[in-house]
Amino acid sequence: MRAGELLALLGPSGSGKTTLLRIIAGLDFPDRGRIIFGGDDATRVPVQQRAVGFVFQHYALFKHLTVADNIAYGLNARRRSERPEKAEIKRRVGNLLDLIKLSGFADRYPSQLSGGQRQRIALARALAVEPRVLLLDEPFGALDAQVRKDLRRWLREIHDRTGQTTIFVTHDQDEALELSDRVAVLDRGRLEQVGTPDEVQEKPVSPLVLKFLGDTIEVEAIAQDGKVLVNGRTTPLTAPAGLTGPVKLYARPWQLQFAEADTAHLHGTVRSSYRTQGRQRIEVDRENAKTVVVEASDTARLAQGRPVGLRIVGGWVFP
Amino acid sequence: MAAPLAAPAAPPVRPRRRFRQKSVIPGFGLTLGYTLTCLGLVVLLPLAALVAKAGGLGIAGIWEVATDPRVASALRVSFGVSLLAALTASIFGGIVAWVLTRYDFPGRRLADAVVDLPFALPTAVAGIALASLYAPNGLVGAQLARIGIEAAYTPVGIFIAMVFIGLPFAVRTVQPLIGEIDKEVEEASAILGASRVATLTKVVLPPLIPAVLTGFALAFARGVGEYGSIIFIAGNLPYVSEIAPLLIVIKLSEFDYQGASAIAVIMLAISFLTLLAINLIQAWSRRRFGYV
Amino acid sequence: MSEAIAHGPASLPSPNPSPAPRDAALRPRSVVTEAGWVRAVLIGVALAFLALFLVLPLITVFAQALAKGWGAYLSAFTEPDARSAIRLTLTVAAIAVPFNLVFGVAAAWAIAKFEFRGKNLLVTLIDLPFSVSPVVSGLIYVLVFGSNGLFGAFLIQHDIQVIFAIPGIVLATIFVTFPFVARQLIPLMQEQGTSEEEAALTLGASGWHAFWTVTLPNIRWGLLYSVLLCNARAMGEFGAVSVVSGHIRGLTNTLPLHVEILYNEYNFVAAFAVASLLAGLALVTLAIKSFLEWRYADDIAAGARRH
């Protein structure tokens, strides 16, 4: 992980992303392997000395302390010799309250705040100790959709302003792709791929990453002399070197186009269609094969039961 | 508590405050009427008779009874020892509640069930058991005598009995709150650099204080009024180990109804103040932290 | 957990091949608990305290009861006074418990299912007997029904005896156990709300029918739980009953009072034998209570644990 970057840990539930985050924080312990911060081995450093900031999904604010005392908690917890002056603590809390745009709320209690406000306090509390790395565990998971959107944008702004090295866990692909500098995709405890949002979307290393990042159509294909054939017709895809024989072709719904029967790779009948945000999505039933979803521009609606041909214009090939 | 029946469609004008909100559920008149009748006959009428009887003495008369040396001494013993016992029960009850909720060890479930014993065991049974256990020739009493502590027939015995009956209150008011502590809050504290001791004193204990105070107040109120488990072990020496409830019984046997009522009213007044204190603690806690 | 995750992003700068410690003993302890020795000490303190104050007295009851063997133990129950005490205690509980059961359900229905003014005051008043000393609970009935009391003259005229007789004992017992059922049911029924009853009514059920088929099944475990505790207290009440009973052997002595008399007569074996009967009742109560709490935690939990 690079200093100053915003990394998203993305994976389905149960993939180990939260566990990994807790191991980095020092809340859980690895069976093997080590945690290294900037070249120092931190595996055996107790949580109190790891200098990480952690934001919990359910905020975990101290209910009996005011907002200001919550934010100052980490500074007050330091040994006397390392603790800043009272005035300095107050100043820093003030700055953080400005940063999270809750300046007037210093003397409120958490129970008097909304969920979004509480999560911002939790973030300020984690930032107050100037952590080496900021860890966020599904920070927007408990909030409703609109607040979530606002906070997302706001977190990105804060990150751009502070340059704080940050890892956040999410199971929401949109969130990960929108917010992060790089995305790490996890599955069942294994790290599948790390890369920029563009990299993971354009060059997924496995069908799993591909499937997790969006709707996918899976088609049987044959790799031959560097070409990929579906139902005997060539596709625009090239097979990776050394791959021949039966392969799997994966495509996104917008990588299928309607085509005349003599150029189509796939054939089927329209089962249903609906419009969404200027596009339409059509489900196509195929004989003896899985139904596929096609996304096309919002032209005339296709009648149910109508036979159609589909052309593959893009996609990925895996063994 | 959630109001299950919020007012229906908001009326255009300011609604006249009515005695009860409309509801389709039947039986309100019947059940409320029955409740009030029982409450009136069983609880309120007899208590009113007590207040009336004591009221016959006037404030001055009650004061006179209260300052009678023997009565004053009994009240001092009841309240003083109960205070100490409630304090002890709260401290150890807190430890018991913590251990039962946070640690796992063989026999935890059994220990948890045992805590309720004073609720279920009749006070007279507890009384004779404690008396025989703490008597100078009893199992524990003999050991205490060796180090120079006389338990039975002294205020120490009263203290022991009051701790016994107060303990479940101290444990059961705190225990559910300990169970509800959000572990993430403790983790948050540790991540921010606080030691375990600091986490306990700054994050875990403060929210428990209202519950501890409530448990203390309940144990205290129960101790002040307790009779059955104390009289066997106390020895009941006037001016030394005589408790206020016993003095009521003595006055009754002497047909001094007014004197008995005066002591009873004093004790009731203290109980109500305690009850009020509990309610204030809970209201404050709810306002401040959003929970009891 | 696999190698890949442990060498995850945080360790990307230097994938170190050296084997990391796997020994569980070397693992740091969880951050949300205390050091092992602190835990051991606290558990020790708690168990020692419970043993000294609660378990030891309980054992004492049975040990003393059997101090002179089974013969002496059993003979304590063949005595006519003991038998009449058992009979009286059962009679009193058989009246007081159903009374408070009906009262508790009615009160909980009125309080939990409706919104009206003065509700909090009503709840406080129902709770009142919990904060009244048992002796005072007896005293107030002497003041109402005693020969010098409020209705004293009237009762003497009609030759009705309340105090120093069974009615007084029943009344005092009802008083001290008055809040048990209501206290348990009110929060439980408030939590359950009214939607199920309303659903039953829209389906054409009568109020009674809705109560028997919807409300009662929902509260049955909480109800059983509270009746159990109410019964234990009713059979074991000492202070209040002592004041109103007059201690007439064979007539107005309940089991706890019988224990007192035997103990004061230095008849320890018999006193503890009778006490062991009550202690056995307490143990059965606790066992069923614990079972209910374990098995039907959610159906009981709403009730405040204040007795």
Side-chain angles (χ1 to χ4, degrees):
Chain A
M1 156 142 211
R2 296 168 194 142
E5 80 174 344
L6 180 54
L7 179 88
L9 287 183
L10 179 64
S13 48
S15 60
K17 27 186 215 311
T18 293
T19 308
L20 176 55
L21 202 69
R22 290 173 59 88
I23 288 175
I24 298 170
L27 294 172
D28 282 335
F29 307 100
D31 292 327
R32 316 177 258 174
R34 311 193 314 151
I35 303 295
I36 289 159
F37 285 177
D40 311 331
D41 185 346
T43 316
R44 308 205 55 79
V45 175
V47 58
Q48 283 89 352
Q49 284 142 40
R50 277 206 197 184
V52 296
F54 201 107
V55 176
F56 292 87
Q57 182 177 0
H58 299 285
Y59 334 126
L61 292 177
F62 307 128
K63 284 187 273 189
H64 63 292
L65 297 179
T66 61
V67 165
D69 288 341
N70 261 287
I71 297 175
Y73 186 89
L75 298 173
N76 285 324
R78 289 185 186 169
R79 254 180 274 128
R80 200 169 299 260
S81 55
E82 296 165 19
R83 198 185 302 157
E85 297 281 311
K86 272 221 166 90
E88 167 67 10
I89 292 181
K90 204 169 170 202
R91 195 185 60 78
R92 280 211 225 168
V93 169
N95 286 348
L96 283 165
L97 281 170
D98 287 343
L99 183 72
I100 60 169
K101 302 198 182 84
L102 286 173
S103 302
F105 291 73
D107 295 324
R108 301 269 190 104
Y109 285 92
S111 59
Q112 300 164 316
L113 303 176
S114 72
Q117 290 171 329
R118 288 184 207 179
Q119 196 54 291
R120 275 142 71 189
I121 306 290
L123 185 75
R125 183 178 69 177
L127 286 173
V129 294
E130 294 170 343
R132 300 173 71 167
V133 53
L134 180 65
L135 308 170
L136 301 104
D137 185 8
E138 305 236 2
F140 314 126
L143 303 169
D144 53 43
Q146 188 55 46
V147 180
R148 203 159 159 162
K149 248 183 188 165
D150 293 345
L151 271 188
R152 247 193 237 177
R153 198 169 311 130
W154 173 83
L155 178 68
R156 184 70 232 185
E157 275 171 31
I158 294 237
H159 181 263
D160 290 346
R161 213 170 335 149
T162 59
Q164 170 74 55
T165 311
T166 304
I167 303 179
F168 81 98
V169 156
T170 179
H171 63 259
D172 178 342
Q173 317 90 330
D174 288 345
E175 195 167 288
L177 298 173
E178 178 189 333
L179 260 178
S180 60
D181 297 321
R182 289 199 302 157
V183 179
V185 183
L186 286 168
D187 180 64
R188 279 169 288 167
R190 295 200 77 87
L191 184 59
E192 288 284 329
Q193 186 174 10
V194 188
T196 63
D198 286 347
E199 279 166 8
V200 293
Q201 287 182 90
E202 284 162 17
K203 295 179 192 135
V205 299
S206 68
L208 215 137
V209 173
L210 193 68
K211 280 183 195 160
F212 191 65
L213 290 177
D215 288 340
T216 321
I217 294 135
E218 191 182 320
V219 181
E220 305 289 339
I222 306 280
Q224 213 170 36
D225 308 328
K227 289 190 162 31
V228 180
L229 293 89
V230 173
N231 286 336
R233 292 209 167 93
T234 54
T235 64
L237 304 180
T238 48
L243 196 63
T244 50
V247 292
K248 290 234 158 49
L249 188 153
Y250 299 89
R252 299 288 187 210
W254 57 87
Q255 290 171 324
L256 294 180
Q257 284 176 358
F258 291 107
E260 296 304 318
D262 54 346
T263 59
H265 295 110
L266 307 172
H267 304 274
T269 55
V270 173
R271 170 194 262 192
S272 68
S273 72
Y274 68 97
R275 291 179 194 196
T276 167
Q277 300 181 0
R279 313 268 300 164
Q280 67 174 327
R281 286 171 84 92
I282 304 114
E283 280 185 40
V284 176
D285 280 335
R286 293 190 294 149
E287 246 176 74
N288 305 323
K290 270 196 207 156
T291 300
V292 295
V293 178
V294 184
E295 199 172 305
S297 59
D298 190 4
T299 49
R301 299 289 283 275
L302 295 165
Q304 205 176 352
R306 186 188 141 168
V308 287
L310 292 169
R311 244 188 103 69
I312 294 165
V313 297
W316 299 268
V317 178
F318 291 102
Chain B
M1 266 298 131
L5 291 176
V13 284
R14 196 165 161 271
R16 187 170 56 90
R17 269 200 64 137
R18 52 174 87 234
F19 169 60
R20 103 175 148 100
Q21 289 176 17
K22 275 197 175 155
S23 162
V24 294
I25 309 270
F28 178 70
L30 177 72
T31 52
L32 187 70
Y34 183 71
T35 302
L36 291 177
T37 309
C38 290
L39 183 71
L41 289 178
V42 174
V43 178
L44 299 183
L45 174 75
L47 280 176
L50 170 72
V51 175
K53 191 78 181 175
L57 285 170
I59 299 287
I62 293 177
W63 182 250
E64 203 175 303
V65 174
T67 50
D68 169 81
R70 189 169 169 188
V71 176
S73 157
L75 287 171
R76 217 168 21 243
V77 169
S78 274
F79 285 102
V81 178
S82 185
L83 216 54
L84 278 179
L87 197 65
T88 310
S90 293
I91 292 168
F92 283 95
I95 295 175
V96 169
W98 181 263
V99 163
L100 288 179
T101 328
R102 294 299 290 261
Y103 304 154
D104 208 14
F105 54 93
R108 190 180 59 85
R109 212 177 264 288
L110 186 67
D112 191 74
V114 162
V115 169
D116 281 332
L117 191 65
F119 282 155
L121 196 67
T123 53
V125 177
I128 63 169
L130 289 171
S132 95
L133 204 53
Y134 287 89
N137 58 356
L139 201 60
V140 182
Q143 301 305 315
L144 288 177
R146 228 189 264 173
I147 54 169
I149 299 175
E150 269 183 72
Y153 320 128
T154 67
V156 178
I158 301 176
F159 170 80
I160 290 166
M162 283 179 174
V163 171
F164 174 86
I165 51 143
L167 187 70
F169 293 96
V171 176
R172 295 302 186 212
T173 43
V174 185
Q175 202 176 10
L177 269 186
I178 294 179
E180 277 168 25
I181 294 174
D182 184 358
K183 289 229 167 109
E184 287 190 348
V185 170
E186 291 173 62
E187 291 176 348
S189 170
I191 288 173
L192 291 167
S195 67
R196 185 63 191 157
V197 174
T199 298
L200 286 177
T201 54
K202 287 184 184 169
V203 171
V204 176
L205 291 183
L208 297 179
I209 287 174
V212 173
L213 287 177
T214 304
F216 172 84
L218 288 171
F220 170 70
R222 184 67 193 266
V224 168
E226 182 55 23
Y227 176 70
S229 58
I230 296 177
I231 52 163
F232 296 100
I233 195 175
N236 310 323
L237 298 173
Y239 302 103
V240 177
S241 59
E242 190 174 61
I243 53 168
L246 178 66
L247 211 52
I248 294 178
V249 173
I250 291 173
K251 293 224 179 258
L252 262 182
S253 66
E254 292 164 354
F255 301 104
D256 179 6
Y257 287 175
Q258 276 202 323
S261 304
I263 303 174
V265 160
I266 294 168
M267 289 178 53
L268 273 185
I270 306 280
S271 296
F272 290 150
L273 287 181
T274 317
L275 212 64
L276 190 68
I278 295 172
N279 281 331
L280 288 179
I281 291 169
Q282 289 183 341
W284 170 76
S285 163
R286 203 175 297 121
R287 221 177 27 247
R288 178 84 176 271
F289 311 128
Y291 59 87
V292 182
Chain C
M1 193 165 301
S2 76
E3 191 77 27
I5 188 167
H7 278 296
S11 62
L12 286 185
S14 102
N16 197 320
S18 76
R22 295 204 61 180
D23 187 354
L26 287 175
R27 280 182 135 202
R29 71 191 149 88
S30 153
V31 300
V32 291
T33 191
E34 288 68 50
W37 67 270
V38 177
R39 268 179 296 173
V41 167
L42 286 179
I43 291 174
V45 167
L47 291 184
F49 188 79
L50 291 180
L52 190 66
F53 275 87
L54 304 186
V55 178
L56 218 48
L58 185 68
I59 294 172
T60 303
V61 172
F62 292 99
Q64 296 274 15
L66 294 169
K68 296 210 173 116
W70 283 96
Y73 178 76
L74 291 175
S75 71
F77 303 112
T78 52
E79 217 204 329
D81 286 351
R83 284 173 179 264
S84 78
I86 294 173
R87 228 176 357 255
L88 178 59
T89 295
L90 291 175
T91 310
V92 170
I95 302 169
V97 174
F99 178 91
N100 281 333
L101 170 68
V102 174
F103 164 76
V105 172
W109 182 269
I111 290 167
K113 303 286 178 191
F114 301 93
E115 289 301 316
F116 56 92
R117 279 203 266 170
K119 193 155 133 175
N120 289 335
L121 178 69
L122 183 59
V123 174
T124 309
L125 289 178
I126 290 173
D127 253 354
L128 210 55
F130 272 156
S131 47
V132 173
S133 168
V135 171
V136 177
S137 313
L139 168 69
I140 55 178
Y141 286 99
V142 175
L143 293 178
V144 175
F145 298 109
S147 50
N148 290 320
L150 211 53
F151 303 137
F154 173 84
L155 293 173
I156 290 171
Q157 216 171 15
H158 292 82
D159 201 20
I160 304 170
Q161 186 135 29
V162 175
I163 297 304
F164 307 140
I166 295 175
I169 297 173
V170 171
L171 280 172
T173 305
I174 288 177
F175 181 90
V176 293
T177 56
F178 193 68
F180 272 88
V181 178
R183 240 252 149 263
Q184 180 74 34
L185 292 188
I186 290 169
L188 188 61
M189 282 166 68
Q190 270 174 335
E191 198 172 74
Q192 287 170 349
T194 52
S195 47
E196 287 188 36
E197 284 80 6
E198 282 162 354
L201 294 176
T202 61
L203 294 170
S206 71
W208 268 114
H209 191 72
F211 172 77
W212 283 106
T213 55
V214 174
T215 312
L216 208 54
N218 275 338
I219 60 169
R220 62 183 168 210
W221 297 116
L223 194 63
L224 178 60
Y225 182 86
S226 60
V227 163
L228 204 68
L229 295 176
C230 181
N231 180 62
R233 181 71 193 267
M235 291 194 174
E237 178 51 33
F238 177 73
V241 171
S242 165
V243 170
V244 295
S245 100
H247 300 92
I248 305 163
R249 269 190 118 137
L251 275 181
T252 62
N253 259 355
T254 61
L255 276 177
L257 297 178
H258 193 57
V259 170
E260 183 198 20
I261 289 182
L262 292 170
Y263 187 82
N264 287 342
E265 288 170 349
Y266 302 101
N267 190 351
F268 291 140
V269 167
F272 279 103
V274 177
S276 75
L277 203 61
L278 290 165
L281 172 76
L283 287 181
V284 171
T285 304
L286 279 188
I288 303 178
K289 174 175 177 290
S290 298
F291 173 76
L292 288 178
E293 277 168 356
W294 167 70
R295 183 73 180 73
Y296 303 102
D298 295 342
D299 300 327
I300 298 168
R305 300 174 103 174
R306 275 174 56 182
H307 318 291

